[in-house]
Amino acid sequence: MNQTDNRKETLEYNKLQKRLRRNMGNAIIDYNMIEEGDVVMACISGGKDSFAMLDILLNLQKAAPIKFDVVAVNLDQKQPGFPEHILPEYFQSLNIPYYIVDKDTYSVVKEKVEEGKTTCGLCSRLRRGTLYSFAETIGATKIALGHHLDDIVETLFLNMFHGSRLKAMPPKLRSDDGRNVVIRPLAYCREKDLIKYAEYKQFPIIPCNLCGSQENLQRQSIKAMLIDWDKKTPGRVDAIFKSIQNISPSQLADKNLFDFVNLPLDREGERAEYAFTEATVSSTNIDESMFIDVTNV
């Protein structure tokens, strides 16, 4: 690689890093994800997304106008062949506080789920319960997960296609019992940027052998659909994400979200300006005297 190529690569990396930092910073501000004095438990799986989240979060921490702590936590689910030394060594190289939490969810999932069936649902529930409990144990006030914009949009379509629900992943979520707050600092970041960032940073990525090896998962099908859409119409996935930030309950059909039953007609107030206020009647068999003189209303 010559000097020109090196300069070009460095420029591209700097632009990518700034874009990811800006997107994460904006998401944190927009949803008030991190506050003064917070202890943020950054959940690190060993995948590219959680590595990137931790890396960018630590950089933002240095420049943030507020003080907060970051604690890295990995849940070792006891998958066969999992390289247990990689994450402790990585965390120590960063000189940050960390915990490796042992919980054999692998055996539970393999016992409960039939061979060939999707394990992700049960696996995520077991993982979530363990992390929620541990966050309380160490006094963490926020639980940071590495889900990005593409994950959120994929989840939206998964729920629509396979669950008949208009539901995604919120950038910030309070648990049902109110005891934990989950944040997704990468909510504005695209996966394609995170892939490039992981390549630049050379994170010691650990593949998930529990669910990553299963073929034809529903999420993979949705992912392929969205990638194809984004290729044909660049910006479509970003537009879909923006749509879940701009919801009009009255334009959907959820009776629990909007009161469609009680919508009384009210013509007493000031009329809104319509695009067309006059129309010419060319033919009728109705006595026009039956109409109200709207010019006097």
Side-chain angles (χ1 to χ4, degrees), residues 126-162:
L126 293 172
R127 188 169 61 245
R128 181 168 58 246
T130 304
L131 291 173
Y132 278 8
S133 297
F134 191 70
E136 289 194 60
T137 300
I138 65 173
T141 53
K142 301 288 171 58
I143 301 173
L145 303 181
H147 298 123
H148 46 68
L149 185 148
D150 296 77
D151 285 326
I152 293 171
V153 173
E154 287 164 17
T155 303
L156 173 70
F157 282 95
L158 273 171
N159 282 317
M160 282 198 292
F161 292 172
H162 303 288

PDB file of all heavy atoms in Angstrom, residues 126-162:
ATOM      1  N   LEU A 126     -33.316 -15.563  28.917  1.00  0.00           N
ATOM      2  CA  LEU A 126     -32.423 -15.999  30.006  1.00  0.00           C
ATOM      3  C   LEU A 126     -31.296 -14.998  30.220  1.00  0.00           C
ATOM      4  O   LEU A 126     -30.929 -14.674  31.352  1.00  0.00           O
ATOM      5  CB  LEU A 126     -31.842 -17.377  29.665  1.00  0.00           C
ATOM      6  CG  LEU A 126     -32.835 -18.541  29.629  1.00  0.00           C
ATOM      7  CD1 LEU A 126     -32.157 -19.794  29.089  1.00  0.00           C
ATOM      8  CD2 LEU A 126     -33.418 -18.802  31.010  1.00  0.00           C
ATOM      9  N   ARG A 127     -30.764 -14.501  29.110  1.00  0.00           N
ATOM     10  CA  ARG A 127     -29.663 -13.532  29.195  1.00  0.00           C
ATOM     11  C   ARG A 127     -30.147 -12.236  29.840  1.00  0.00           C
ATOM     12  O   ARG A 127     -29.462 -11.668  30.701  1.00  0.00           O
ATOM     13  CB  ARG A 127     -29.114 -13.270  27.790  1.00  0.00           C
ATOM     14  CG  ARG A 127     -27.857 -12.424  27.764  1.00  0.00           C
ATOM     15  CD  ARG A 127     -27.220 -12.435  26.389  1.00  0.00           C
ATOM     16  NE  ARG A 127     -28.097 -11.891  25.366  1.00  0.00           N
ATOM     17  CZ  ARG A 127     -28.595 -12.597  24.357  1.00  0.00           C
ATOM     18  NH1 ARG A 127     -28.315 -13.884  24.235  1.00  0.00           N
ATOM     19  NH2 ARG A 127     -29.390 -12.033  23.445  1.00  0.00           N
ATOM     20  N   ARG A 128     -31.335 -11.778  29.419  1.00  0.00           N
ATOM     21  CA  ARG A 128     -31.870 -10.528  29.951  1.00  0.00           C
ATOM     22  C   ARG A 128     -32.096 -10.623  31.458  1.00  0.00           C
ATOM     23  O   ARG A 128     -31.743  -9.707  32.209  1.00  0.00           O
ATOM     24  CB  ARG A 128     -33.175 -10.183  29.236  1.00  0.00           C
ATOM     25  CG  ARG A 128     -33.797  -8.876  29.700  1.00  0.00           C
ATOM     26  CD  ARG A 128     -34.908  -8.436  28.764  1.00  0.00           C
ATOM     27  NE  ARG A 128     -35.965  -9.425  28.633  1.00  0.00           N
ATOM     28  CZ  ARG A 128     -36.253 -10.088  27.509  1.00  0.00           C
ATOM     29  NH1 ARG A 128     -35.550  -9.879  26.418  1.00  0.00           N
ATOM     30  NH2 ARG A 128     -37.239 -10.970  27.473  1.00  0.00           N
ATOM     31  N   GLY A 129     -32.682 -11.736  31.911  1.00  0.00           N
ATOM     32  CA  GLY A 129     -32.941 -11.895  33.340  1.00  0.00           C
ATOM     33  C   GLY A 129     -31.663 -11.868  34.163  1.00  0.00           C
ATOM     34  O   GLY A 129     -31.606 -11.233  35.226  1.00  0.00           O
ATOM     35  N   THR A 130     -30.625 -12.521  33.658  1.00  0.00           N
ATOM     36  CA  THR A 130     -29.340 -12.553  34.363  1.00  0.00           C
ATOM     37  C   THR A 130     -28.721 -11.164  34.430  1.00  0.00           C
ATOM     38  O   THR A 130     -28.226 -10.732  35.478  1.00  0.00           O
ATOM     39  CB  THR A 130     -28.374 -13.527  33.668  1.00  0.00           C
ATOM     40  OG1 THR A 130     -28.970 -14.826  33.589  1.00  0.00           O
ATOM     41  CG2 THR A 130     -27.063 -13.618  34.429  1.00  0.00           C
ATOM     42  N   LEU A 131     -28.754 -10.456  33.309  1.00  0.00           N
ATOM     43  CA  LEU A 131     -28.136  -9.126  33.268  1.00  0.00           C
ATOM     44  C   LEU A 131     -28.911  -8.124  34.119  1.00  0.00           C
ATOM     45  O   LEU A 131     -28.309  -7.272  34.784  1.00  0.00           O
ATOM     46  CB  LEU A 131     -28.055  -8.642  31.815  1.00  0.00           C
ATOM     47  CG  LEU A 131     -27.071  -9.411  30.927  1.00  0.00           C
ATOM     48  CD1 LEU A 131     -27.205  -8.969  29.470  1.00  0.00           C
ATOM     49  CD2 LEU A 131     -25.636  -9.231  31.405  1.00  0.00           C
ATOM     50  N   TYR A 132     -30.240  -8.208  34.112  1.00  0.00           N
ATOM     51  CA  TYR A 132     -31.048  -7.318  34.946  1.00  0.00           C
ATOM     52  C   TYR A 132     -30.673  -7.501  36.428  1.00  0.00           C
ATOM     53  O   TYR A 132     -30.487  -6.524  37.166  1.00  0.00           O
ATOM     54  CB  TYR A 132     -32.529  -7.616  34.764  1.00  0.00           C
ATOM     55  CG  TYR A 132     -33.180  -6.982  33.562  1.00  0.00           C
ATOM     56  CD1 TYR A 132     -32.433  -6.309  32.600  1.00  0.00           C
ATOM     57  CD2 TYR A 132     -34.557  -7.056  33.371  1.00  0.00           C
ATOM     58  CE1 TYR A 132     -33.028  -5.729  31.499  1.00  0.00           C
ATOM     59  CE2 TYR A 132     -35.170  -6.475  32.270  1.00  0.00           C
ATOM     60  CZ  TYR A 132     -34.416  -5.819  31.334  1.00  0.00           C
ATOM     61  OH  TYR A 132     -35.014  -5.244  30.241  1.00  0.00           O
ATOM     62  N   SER A 133     -30.595  -8.748  36.863  1.00  0.00           N
ATOM     63  CA  SER A 133     -30.267  -9.024  38.267  1.00  0.00           C
ATOM     64  C   SER A 133     -28.864  -8.540  38.608  1.00  0.00           C
ATOM     65  O   SER A 133     -28.643  -7.947  39.672  1.00  0.00           O
ATOM     66  CB  SER A 133     -30.365 -10.534  38.543  1.00  0.00           C
ATOM     67  OG  SER A 133     -31.685 -10.992  38.344  1.00  0.00           O
ATOM     68  N   PHE A 134     -27.926  -8.772  37.687  1.00  0.00           N
ATOM     69  CA  PHE A 134     -26.540  -8.387  37.970  1.00  0.00           C
ATOM     70  C   PHE A 134     -26.393  -6.865  38.009  1.00  0.00           C
ATOM     71  O   PHE A 134     -25.587  -6.338  38.787  1.00  0.00           O
ATOM     72  CB  PHE A 134     -25.592  -8.989  36.936  1.00  0.00           C
ATOM     73  CG  PHE A 134     -24.150  -8.860  37.312  1.00  0.00           C
ATOM     74  CD1 PHE A 134     -23.630  -9.598  38.366  1.00  0.00           C
ATOM     75  CD2 PHE A 134     -23.300  -7.994  36.633  1.00  0.00           C
ATOM     76  CE1 PHE A 134     -22.298  -9.472  38.744  1.00  0.00           C
ATOM     77  CE2 PHE A 134     -21.969  -7.857  36.993  1.00  0.00           C
ATOM     78  CZ  PHE A 134     -21.469  -8.607  38.055  1.00  0.00           C
ATOM     79  N   ALA A 135     -27.150  -6.149  37.174  1.00  0.00           N
ATOM     80  CA  ALA A 135     -27.092  -4.683  37.180  1.00  0.00           C
ATOM     81  C   ALA A 135     -27.459  -4.146  38.556  1.00  0.00           C
ATOM     82  O   ALA A 135     -26.824  -3.204  39.060  1.00  0.00           O
ATOM     83  CB  ALA A 135     -28.033  -4.119  36.116  1.00  0.00           C
ATOM     84  N   GLU A 136     -28.455  -4.739  39.192  1.00  0.00           N
ATOM     85  CA  GLU A 136     -28.825  -4.316  40.543  1.00  0.00           C
ATOM     86  C   GLU A 136     -27.720  -4.640  41.535  1.00  0.00           C
ATOM     87  O   GLU A 136     -27.415  -3.844  42.434  1.00  0.00           O
ATOM     88  CB  GLU A 136     -30.126  -4.994  40.963  1.00  0.00           C
ATOM     89  CG  GLU A 136     -31.363  -4.477  40.241  1.00  0.00           C
ATOM     90  CD  GLU A 136     -32.638  -4.933  40.937  1.00  0.00           C
ATOM     91  OE1 GLU A 136     -32.814  -4.593  42.129  1.00  0.00           O
ATOM     92  OE2 GLU A 136     -33.442  -5.624  40.293  1.00  0.00           O
ATOM     93  N   THR A 137     -27.102  -5.801  41.353  1.00  0.00           N
ATOM     94  CA  THR A 137     -26.054  -6.248  42.275  1.00  0.00           C
ATOM     95  C   THR A 137     -24.891  -5.268  42.314  1.00  0.00           C
ATOM     96  O   THR A 137     -24.341  -4.972  43.390  1.00  0.00           O
ATOM     97  CB  THR A 137     -25.536  -7.644  41.866  1.00  0.00           C
ATOM     98  OG1 THR A 137     -26.617  -8.572  41.904  1.00  0.00           O
ATOM     99  CG2 THR A 137     -24.428  -8.114  42.795  1.00  0.00           C
ATOM    100  N   ILE A 138     -24.501  -4.731  41.148  1.00  0.00           N
ATOM    101  CA  ILE A 138     -23.331  -3.841  41.099  1.00  0.00           C
ATOM    102  C   ILE A 138     -23.720  -2.361  41.141  1.00  0.00           C
ATOM    103  O   ILE A 138     -22.865  -1.484  41.040  1.00  0.00           O
ATOM    104  CB  ILE A 138     -22.464  -4.118  39.854  1.00  0.00           C
ATOM    105  CG1 ILE A 138     -23.234  -3.789  38.561  1.00  0.00           C
ATOM    106  CG2 ILE A 138     -21.974  -5.553  39.853  1.00  0.00           C
ATOM    107  CD1 ILE A 138     -22.383  -3.871  37.305  1.00  0.00           C
ATOM    108  N   GLY A 139     -25.021  -2.080  41.276  1.00  0.00           N
ATOM    109  CA  GLY A 139     -25.473  -0.689  41.375  1.00  0.00           C
ATOM    110  C   GLY A 139     -25.472   0.053  40.054  1.00  0.00           C
ATOM    111  O   GLY A 139     -25.411   1.291  40.030  1.00  0.00           O
ATOM    112  N   ALA A 140     -25.557  -0.669  38.930  1.00  0.00           N
ATOM    113  CA  ALA A 140     -25.608  -0.021  37.620  1.00  0.00           C
ATOM    114  C   ALA A 140     -26.972   0.639  37.427  1.00  0.00           C
ATOM    115  O   ALA A 140     -28.010   0.044  37.725  1.00  0.00           O
ATOM    116  CB  ALA A 140     -25.364  -1.036  36.502  1.00  0.00           C
ATOM    117  N   THR A 141     -26.963   1.858  36.947  1.00  0.00           N
ATOM    118  CA  THR A 141     -28.222   2.590  36.740  1.00  0.00           C
ATOM    119  C   THR A 141     -28.716   2.517  35.299  1.00  0.00           C
ATOM    120  O   THR A 141     -29.873   2.824  35.031  1.00  0.00           O
ATOM    121  CB  THR A 141     -28.035   4.069  37.135  1.00  0.00           C
ATOM    122  OG1 THR A 141     -26.899   4.609  36.438  1.00  0.00           O
ATOM    123  CG2 THR A 141     -27.817   4.194  38.634  1.00  0.00           C
ATOM    124  N   LYS A 142     -27.836   2.145  34.363  1.00  0.00           N
ATOM    125  CA  LYS A 142     -28.229   1.971  32.968  1.00  0.00           C
ATOM    126  C   LYS A 142     -27.567   0.692  32.430  1.00  0.00           C
ATOM    127  O   LYS A 142     -26.419   0.387  32.764  1.00  0.00           O
ATOM    128  CB  LYS A 142     -27.788   3.166  32.110  1.00  0.00           C
ATOM    129  CG  LYS A 142     -28.360   4.516  32.562  1.00  0.00           C
ATOM    130  CD  LYS A 142     -29.834   4.639  32.255  1.00  0.00           C
ATOM    131  CE  LYS A 142     -30.465   5.874  32.898  1.00  0.00           C
ATOM    132  NZ  LYS A 142     -29.846   7.140  32.503  1.00  0.00           N
ATOM    133  N   ILE A 143     -28.288  -0.030  31.607  1.00  0.00           N
ATOM    134  CA  ILE A 143     -27.764  -1.226  30.952  1.00  0.00           C
ATOM    135  C   ILE A 143     -27.653  -0.920  29.466  1.00  0.00           C
ATOM    136  O   ILE A 143     -28.666  -0.694  28.795  1.00  0.00           O
ATOM    137  CB  ILE A 143     -28.684  -2.441  31.165  1.00  0.00           C
ATOM    138  CG1 ILE A 143     -28.845  -2.732  32.656  1.00  0.00           C
ATOM    139  CG2 ILE A 143     -28.155  -3.666  30.423  1.00  0.00           C
ATOM    140  CD1 ILE A 143     -29.882  -3.813  32.964  1.00  0.00           C
ATOM    141  N   ALA A 144     -26.443  -0.872  28.936  1.00  0.00           N
ATOM    142  CA  ALA A 144     -26.224  -0.508  27.533  1.00  0.00           C
ATOM    143  C   ALA A 144     -26.071  -1.754  26.672  1.00  0.00           C
ATOM    144  O   ALA A 144     -25.226  -2.615  26.945  1.00  0.00           O
ATOM    145  CB  ALA A 144     -24.982   0.370  27.395  1.00  0.00           C
ATOM    146  N   LEU A 145     -26.906  -1.850  25.645  1.00  0.00           N
ATOM    147  CA  LEU A 145     -26.866  -2.971  24.703  1.00  0.00           C
ATOM    148  C   LEU A 145     -26.425  -2.467  23.330  1.00  0.00           C
ATOM    149  O   LEU A 145     -26.652  -1.311  22.973  1.00  0.00           O
ATOM    150  CB  LEU A 145     -28.245  -3.631  24.599  1.00  0.00           C
ATOM    151  CG  LEU A 145     -28.857  -4.150  25.913  1.00  0.00           C
ATOM    152  CD1 LEU A 145     -30.220  -4.788  25.637  1.00  0.00           C
ATOM    153  CD2 LEU A 145     -27.931  -5.149  26.593  1.00  0.00           C
ATOM    154  N   GLY A 146     -25.836  -3.360  22.545  1.00  0.00           N
ATOM    155  CA  GLY A 146     -25.234  -2.957  21.274  1.00  0.00           C
ATOM    156  C   GLY A 146     -26.135  -3.057  20.056  1.00  0.00           C
ATOM    157  O   GLY A 146     -25.633  -3.239  18.950  1.00  0.00           O
ATOM    158  N   HIS A 147     -27.445  -2.930  20.225  1.00  0.00           N
ATOM    159  CA  HIS A 147     -28.344  -2.974  19.072  1.00  0.00           C
ATOM    160  C   HIS A 147     -28.240  -1.680  18.267  1.00  0.00           C
ATOM    161  O   HIS A 147     -28.249  -0.586  18.830  1.00  0.00           O
ATOM    162  CB  HIS A 147     -29.796  -3.175  19.518  1.00  0.00           C
ATOM    163  CG  HIS A 147     -30.016  -4.471  20.239  1.00  0.00           C
ATOM    164  ND1 HIS A 147     -30.536  -4.542  21.500  1.00  0.00           N
ATOM    165  CD2 HIS A 147     -29.754  -5.748  19.862  1.00  0.00           C
ATOM    166  CE1 HIS A 147     -30.611  -5.809  21.882  1.00  0.00           C
ATOM    167  NE2 HIS A 147     -30.136  -6.560  20.902  1.00  0.00           N
ATOM    168  N   HIS A 148     -28.170  -1.813  16.954  1.00  0.00           N
ATOM    169  CA  HIS A 148     -28.033  -0.653  16.072  1.00  0.00           C
ATOM    170  C   HIS A 148     -29.322  -0.402  15.295  1.00  0.00           C
ATOM    171  O   HIS A 148     -30.333  -1.106  15.492  1.00  0.00           O
ATOM    172  CB  HIS A 148     -26.852  -0.853  15.123  1.00  0.00           C
ATOM    173  CG  HIS A 148     -26.822  -2.211  14.481  1.00  0.00           C
ATOM    174  ND1 HIS A 148     -27.765  -2.629  13.563  1.00  0.00           N
ATOM    175  CD2 HIS A 148     -25.965  -3.252  14.635  1.00  0.00           C
ATOM    176  CE1 HIS A 148     -27.492  -3.864  13.171  1.00  0.00           C
ATOM    177  NE2 HIS A 148     -26.407  -4.269  13.813  1.00  0.00           N
ATOM    178  N   LEU A 149     -29.294   0.602  14.426  1.00  0.00           N
ATOM    179  CA  LEU A 149     -30.488   1.011  13.672  1.00  0.00           C
ATOM    180  C   LEU A 149     -31.058  -0.139  12.853  1.00  0.00           C
ATOM    181  O   LEU A 149     -32.280  -0.346  12.812  1.00  0.00           O
ATOM    182  CB  LEU A 149     -30.138   2.199  12.770  1.00  0.00           C
ATOM    183  CG  LEU A 149     -31.268   2.864  11.979  1.00  0.00           C
ATOM    184  CD1 LEU A 149     -30.986   4.361  11.798  1.00  0.00           C
ATOM    185  CD2 LEU A 149     -31.462   2.223  10.612  1.00  0.00           C
ATOM    186  N   ASP A 150     -30.181  -0.915  12.210  1.00  0.00           N
ATOM    187  CA  ASP A 150     -30.657  -2.031  11.392  1.00  0.00           C
ATOM    188  C   ASP A 150     -31.352  -3.088  12.250  1.00  0.00           C
ATOM    189  O   ASP A 150     -32.366  -3.665  11.830  1.00  0.00           O
ATOM    190  CB  ASP A 150     -29.491  -2.656  10.623  1.00  0.00           C
ATOM    191  CG  ASP A 150     -28.866  -1.687   9.631  1.00  0.00           C
ATOM    192  OD1 ASP A 150     -28.114  -0.797  10.064  1.00  0.00           O
ATOM    193  OD2 ASP A 150     -29.152  -1.794   8.429  1.00  0.00           O
ATOM    194  N   ASP A 151     -30.827  -3.357  13.439  1.00  0.00           N
ATOM    195  CA  ASP A 151     -31.469  -4.300  14.359  1.00  0.00           C
ATOM    196  C   ASP A 151     -32.885  -3.844  14.692  1.00  0.00           C
ATOM    197  O   ASP A 151     -33.822  -4.649  14.751  1.00  0.00           O
ATOM    198  CB  ASP A 151     -30.674  -4.403  15.669  1.00  0.00           C
ATOM    199  CG  ASP A 151     -29.396  -5.206  15.530  1.00  0.00           C
ATOM    200  OD1 ASP A 151     -29.372  -6.164  14.741  1.00  0.00           O
ATOM    201  OD2 ASP A 151     -28.419  -4.871  16.216  1.00  0.00           O
ATOM    202  N   ILE A 152     -33.036  -2.549  14.927  1.00  0.00           N
ATOM    203  CA  ILE A 152     -34.336  -1.996  15.318  1.00  0.00           C
ATOM    204  C   ILE A 152     -35.345  -2.139  14.188  1.00  0.00           C
ATOM    205  O   ILE A 152     -36.491  -2.559  14.400  1.00  0.00           O
ATOM    206  CB  ILE A 152     -34.170  -0.519  15.742  1.00  0.00           C
ATOM    207  CG1 ILE A 152     -33.341  -0.435  17.027  1.00  0.00           C
ATOM    208  CG2 ILE A 152     -35.529   0.154  15.934  1.00  0.00           C
ATOM    209  CD1 ILE A 152     -32.933   0.967  17.426  1.00  0.00           C
ATOM    210  N   VAL A 153     -34.923  -1.817  12.960  1.00  0.00           N
ATOM    211  CA  VAL A 153     -35.827  -1.926  11.813  1.00  0.00           C
ATOM    212  C   VAL A 153     -36.150  -3.391  11.518  1.00  0.00           C
ATOM    213  O   VAL A 153     -37.302  -3.742  11.203  1.00  0.00           O
ATOM    214  CB  VAL A 153     -35.224  -1.231  10.580  1.00  0.00           C
ATOM    215  CG1 VAL A 153     -36.080  -1.474   9.341  1.00  0.00           C
ATOM    216  CG2 VAL A 153     -35.081   0.265  10.825  1.00  0.00           C
ATOM    217  N   GLU A 154     -35.156  -4.267  11.623  1.00  0.00           N
ATOM    218  CA  GLU A 154     -35.408  -5.700  11.410  1.00  0.00           C
ATOM    219  C   GLU A 154     -36.438  -6.214  12.413  1.00  0.00           C
ATOM    220  O   GLU A 154     -37.343  -6.987  12.054  1.00  0.00           O
ATOM    221  CB  GLU A 154     -34.103  -6.488  11.572  1.00  0.00           C
ATOM    222  CG  GLU A 154     -33.132  -6.317  10.421  1.00  0.00           C
ATOM    223  CD  GLU A 154     -31.728  -6.785  10.773  1.00  0.00           C
ATOM    224  OE1 GLU A 154     -31.592  -7.523  11.771  1.00  0.00           O
ATOM    225  OE2 GLU A 154     -30.769  -6.416  10.064  1.00  0.00           O
ATOM    226  N   THR A 155     -36.326  -5.780  13.661  1.00  0.00           N
ATOM    227  CA  THR A 155     -37.253  -6.216  14.702  1.00  0.00           C
ATOM    228  C   THR A 155     -38.667  -5.724  14.413  1.00  0.00           C
ATOM    229  O   THR A 155     -39.646  -6.434  14.672  1.00  0.00           O
ATOM    230  CB  THR A 155     -36.782  -5.718  16.081  1.00  0.00           C
ATOM    231  OG1 THR A 155     -35.457  -6.206  16.323  1.00  0.00           O
ATOM    232  CG2 THR A 155     -37.696  -6.204  17.191  1.00  0.00           C
ATOM    233  N   LEU A 156     -38.767  -4.526  13.865  1.00  0.00           N
ATOM    234  CA  LEU A 156     -40.070  -3.996  13.477  1.00  0.00           C
ATOM    235  C   LEU A 156     -40.763  -4.937  12.500  1.00  0.00           C
ATOM    236  O   LEU A 156     -41.934  -5.301  12.674  1.00  0.00           O
ATOM    237  CB  LEU A 156     -39.897  -2.605  12.841  1.00  0.00           C
ATOM    238  CG  LEU A 156     -41.145  -1.969  12.230  1.00  0.00           C
ATOM    239  CD1 LEU A 156     -42.126  -1.562  13.318  1.00  0.00           C
ATOM    240  CD2 LEU A 156     -40.760  -0.753  11.383  1.00  0.00           C
ATOM    241  N   PHE A 157     -40.047  -5.361  11.462  1.00  0.00           N
ATOM    242  CA  PHE A 157     -40.641  -6.235  10.446  1.00  0.00           C
ATOM    243  C   PHE A 157     -40.848  -7.659  10.967  1.00  0.00           C
ATOM    244  O   PHE A 157     -41.821  -8.318  10.597  1.00  0.00           O
ATOM    245  CB  PHE A 157     -39.779  -6.238   9.187  1.00  0.00           C
ATOM    246  CG  PHE A 157     -39.977  -5.015   8.339  1.00  0.00           C
ATOM    247  CD1 PHE A 157     -39.134  -3.925   8.470  1.00  0.00           C
ATOM    248  CD2 PHE A 157     -41.028  -4.941   7.440  1.00  0.00           C
ATOM    249  CE1 PHE A 157     -39.329  -2.784   7.718  1.00  0.00           C
ATOM    250  CE2 PHE A 157     -41.229  -3.800   6.673  1.00  0.00           C
ATOM    251  CZ  PHE A 157     -40.384  -2.712   6.810  1.00  0.00           C
ATOM    252  N   LEU A 158     -39.953  -8.126  11.819  1.00  0.00           N
ATOM    253  CA  LEU A 158     -40.152  -9.439  12.434  1.00  0.00           C
ATOM    254  C   LEU A 158     -41.469  -9.479  13.207  1.00  0.00           C
ATOM    255  O   LEU A 158     -42.237 -10.444  13.108  1.00  0.00           O
ATOM    256  CB  LEU A 158     -38.993  -9.755  13.389  1.00  0.00           C
ATOM    257  CG  LEU A 158     -37.755 -10.409  12.795  1.00  0.00           C
ATOM    258  CD1 LEU A 158     -36.645 -10.439  13.826  1.00  0.00           C
ATOM    259  CD2 LEU A 158     -38.056 -11.818  12.315  1.00  0.00           C
ATOM    260  N   ASN A 159     -41.710  -8.432  13.984  1.00  0.00           N
ATOM    261  CA  ASN A 159     -42.940  -8.382  14.765  1.00  0.00           C
ATOM    262  C   ASN A 159     -44.172  -8.233  13.885  1.00  0.00           C
ATOM    263  O   ASN A 159     -45.234  -8.791  14.183  1.00  0.00           O
ATOM    264  CB  ASN A 159     -42.879  -7.238  15.784  1.00  0.00           C
ATOM    265  CG  ASN A 159     -42.038  -7.578  16.997  1.00  0.00           C
ATOM    266  OD1 ASN A 159     -42.121  -8.672  17.538  1.00  0.00           O
ATOM    267  ND2 ASN A 159     -41.201  -6.662  17.432  1.00  0.00           N
ATOM    268  N   MET A 160     -44.051  -7.491  12.794  1.00  0.00           N
ATOM    269  CA  MET A 160     -45.185  -7.341  11.879  1.00  0.00           C
ATOM    270  C   MET A 160     -45.483  -8.644  11.143  1.00  0.00           C
ATOM    271  O   MET A 160     -46.625  -9.095  11.074  1.00  0.00           O
ATOM    272  CB  MET A 160     -44.904  -6.222  10.871  1.00  0.00           C
ATOM    273  CG  MET A 160     -45.096  -4.830  11.402  1.00  0.00           C
ATOM    274  SD  MET A 160     -45.253  -3.584  10.093  1.00  0.00           S
ATOM    275  CE  MET A 160     -43.589  -3.597   9.410  1.00  0.00           C
ATOM    276  N   PHE A 161     -44.439  -9.252  10.580  1.00  0.00           N
ATOM    277  CA  PHE A 161     -44.627 -10.433   9.745  1.00  0.00           C
ATOM    278  C   PHE A 161     -44.950 -11.690  10.545  1.00  0.00           C
ATOM    279  O   PHE A 161     -45.706 -12.545  10.092  1.00  0.00           O
ATOM    280  CB  PHE A 161     -43.367 -10.692   8.909  1.00  0.00           C
ATOM    281  CG  PHE A 161     -43.100  -9.650   7.843  1.00  0.00           C
ATOM    282  CD1 PHE A 161     -41.918  -9.681   7.126  1.00  0.00           C
ATOM    283  CD2 PHE A 161     -44.009  -8.641   7.564  1.00  0.00           C
ATOM    284  CE1 PHE A 161     -41.653  -8.731   6.138  1.00  0.00           C
ATOM    285  CE2 PHE A 161     -43.757  -7.684   6.593  1.00  0.00           C
ATOM    286  CZ  PHE A 161     -42.578  -7.735   5.875  1.00  0.00           C
ATOM    287  N   HIS A 162     -44.350 -11.812  11.717  1.00  0.00           N
ATOM    288  CA  HIS A 162     -44.468 -13.059  12.465  1.00  0.00           C
ATOM    289  C   HIS A 162     -45.192 -12.923  13.803  1.00  0.00           C
ATOM    290  O   HIS A 162     -45.429 -13.935  14.470  1.00  0.00           O
ATOM    291  CB  HIS A 162     -43.072 -13.654  12.696  1.00  0.00           C
ATOM    292  CG  HIS A 162     -42.313 -13.899  11.436  1.00  0.00           C
ATOM    293  ND1 HIS A 162     -42.625 -14.913  10.558  1.00  0.00           N
ATOM    294  CD2 HIS A 162     -41.265 -13.248  10.867  1.00  0.00           C
ATOM    295  CE1 HIS A 162     -41.798 -14.891   9.521  1.00  0.00           C
ATOM    296  NE2 HIS A 162     -40.963 -13.882   9.685  1.00  0.00           N
TER     297      HIS A 162
END
